[in-house]
Amino acid sequence: QVQLVESGGGLVQAGGSLRLSCAASGLTFSMSSMAWFRQAPGKEREFVAHITWNGGTTYYADSVKGRFTISRDNAKNTVYLQMNSLKPDDTAVYYCAGKHTLATTYGYWGQGTQVTVSS
């Protein structure tokens, strides 16, 4: 059974930083692409960042480029999202997602962690 467990969310002032973690189990993590998505109240879930199985390639939504950094530690089966210069618009529930590197869609999702940025 695949489990993705996010942690690290919380309340932070605008301009501050948070680091989210996602611990994975039940999948071959080293062969999995991982990503972060977010969903703000009243909005659809949106892509935030993606990292390939070996960490060699990363992609970011334009809205977070230059402020957020996705990384992974395959020895710990964990993916991270370092979020700097946070803005109130970054307030959302952040979800970790995973898929086999050859799969086309993300089939595994965490339960989400709340990030709230106050102005």
Side-chain angles (χ1 to χ4, degrees):
Q1 181 181 357
V2 175
Q3 281 194 315
L4 302 178
V5 181
E6 301 98 334
S7 61
L11 174 64
V12 64
Q13 288 189 329
S17 299
L18 282 175
R19 188 195 197 201
L20 305 183
S21 299
C22 172
S25 61
L27 76 167
T28 307
F29 187 77
S30 61
M31 290 298 293
S32 299
S33 297
M34 303 297 295
W36 290 93
F37 290 75
R38 67 185 182 185
Q39 186 168 19
K43 295 186 178 181
E44 293 189 353
R45 187 176 299 186
E46 65 175 2
F47 168 79
V48 175
H50 159 95
I51 188 166
T52 51
W53 64 276
N54 62 352
T57 303
T58 56
Y59 299 101
Y60 297 93
D62 288 343
S63 59
V64 307
K65 203 171 295 183
R67 300 187 298 121
F68 291 11
T69 302
I70 189 171
S71 62
R72 65 189 296 157
D73 185 339
N74 284 356
K76 296 183 178 180
N77 284 8
T78 301
V79 62
Y80 305 97
L81 186 67
Q82 177 66 44
M83 305 186 294
N84 298 329
S85 302
L86 283 161
K87 306 174 181 179
D89 284 349
D90 294 319
T91 295
V93 177
Y94 283 71
Y95 297 91
C96 174
K99 66 179 184 75
H100 187 274
T101 190
L102 299 179
T104 56
T105 60
Y106 288 96
Y108 306 116
W109 294 85
Q111 82 289 349
T113 185
Q114 177 70 47
V115 172
T116 303
V117 184
S118 63
S119 57

